[in-house]
Amino acid sequence: GAGVSQSPSNKVTEKGKDVELRCDPISGHTALYWYRQSLGQGLEFLIYFQGNSAPDKSGLPSDRFSAERTGGSVSTLTIQRTQQEDSAVYLCASGGQGGIEQYFGPGTRLTVT
Amino acid sequence: KNEVEQSPQNLTAQEGEFITINCSYSVGISALHWLQQHPGGGIVSLFMLSSGKKKHGRLIATINIQEKHSSLHITASHPRDSAVYICAVLGGNQFYFGTGTSLTVIP
């Protein structure tokens, strides 16, 4: 069956521009996570959705980052006024109720020039 | 302070060797994952554990909840096992990640 998909796979943007990253979770999965992995760094938790609500936004690095999820399915991660330090691979994962099992998407590689 | 510590950071092994990667954590957890990240960047979840031991092919994962410790073992290692192995724990609504163990298996 279809796994988690993310788009775009690669995004190059100029510093100061806004970007929107999309995650399509596995159908029926209620839990959705966003992570990022900067070059040479480990995985960093950003935000967790259970359904459409985000009980834990503690990982968002600044108020330039926001995420939403509508219809309990697709999620978008928006980065406003991008900075070079935002360059990373942004990963999405989905899971069933409770989000204990995780299935990762292929990631979006963001490069801010 | 890292909530999840992995060791070793880097590991080189000869094909056929038995490999162990260790993970210790300091938070209360509901589950622990072992993830595999290949050089292309894709991440695969190998195991999810909340107690005991699981086996899949040449891979074995164990967890000791009282000691807050987990191990990932690879038997009869093969060059295709070369990857970064990441320990991740679910504490509350948040995942905490180890920094990964980079494994290289030499033919």
Side-chain angles (χ1 to χ4, degrees), chain A residues 33 35 37 42-45 48 55-56 58-59 91 98-106 109, chain B residues 30-31 33 35 37 40-45 48 54 86 90 92-99:
Chain A
Y33 291 81
Y35 306 96
Q37 187 171 35
L43 283 164
E44 177 187 2
F45 166 80
Y48 159 66
D56 192 338
S58 63
L91 289 157
I100 293 179
E101 289 208 348
Q102 298 238 314
Y103 298 84
F104 282 83
R109 182 174 297 277
Chain B
S30 54
H33 289 250
L35 309 174
Q37 185 170 31
I43 293 178
V44 175
S45 180
M48 185 201 70
K54 285 190 176 180
I86 302 167
L90 178 61
N93 291 329
Q94 183 168 344
F95 268 88
Y96 301 89
F97 296 91
T99 52

Side-chain angles (χ1 to χ4, degrees), chain A residues 4-75:
Chain A
V4 178
S5 62
Q6 291 185 244
S7 60
S9 55
N10 281 284
K11 176 72 177 178
V12 180
T13 191
E14 291 180 354
K15 177 182 172 181
K17 295 282 179 69
D18 297 352
V19 294
E20 200 170 89
L21 312 179
R22 176 185 169 111
C23 172
D24 279 272
I26 291 172
S27 178
H29 278 186
T30 56
L32 188 146
Y33 291 81
W34 282 99
Y35 306 96
R36 74 175 175 182
Q37 187 171 35
S38 303
L39 187 63
Q41 303 294 314
L43 283 164
E44 177 187 2
F45 166 80
L46 298 179
I47 190 168
Y48 159 66
F49 287 93
Q50 182 61 249
N52 290 338
S53 65
D56 192 338
K57 301 180 181 180
S58 63
L60 293 176
S62 78
D63 58 9
R64 296 185 295 105
F65 287 72
S66 63
E68 64 176 18
R69 189 181 186 195
T70 55
S73 182
V74 172
S75 176

Side-chain angles (χ1 to χ4, degrees), chain B:
Chain B
K1 176 185 180 297
N2 293 330
E3 289 83 358
V4 181
E5 299 279 355
Q6 275 184 247
S7 64
Q9 283 191 318
N10 293 282
L11 182 56
T12 301
Q14 289 292 135
E15 183 173 358
E17 284 187 12
F18 180 84
I19 289 162
T20 296
I21 301 171
N22 293 300
C23 174
S24 296
Y25 53 92
S26 58
V27 295
I29 71 168
S30 54
L32 181 145
H33 289 250
W34 280 102
L35 309 174
Q36 181 190 54
Q37 185 170 31
H38 278 280
I43 293 178
V44 175
S45 180
L46 298 174
F47 292 103
M48 185 201 70
L49 294 164
S50 54
S51 65
K53 175 179 174 180
K54 285 190 176 180
K55 184 176 189 292
H56 185 254
R58 295 181 294 106
L59 302 178
I60 303 167
T62 64
I63 187 168
N64 185 318
I65 298 295
Q66 287 73 31
E67 294 186 3
K68 295 189 173 181
H69 181 268
S70 175
S71 293
L72 176 68
H73 306 286
I74 305 175
T75 61
S77 59
H78 190 277
R80 64 175 173 268
D81 297 327
S82 298
V84 175
Y85 293 83
I86 302 167
C87 174
V89 300
L90 178 61
N93 291 329
Q94 183 168 344
F95 268 88
Y96 301 89
F97 296 91
T99 52
T101 296
S102 179
L103 171 66
T104 303
V105 181
I106 300 169

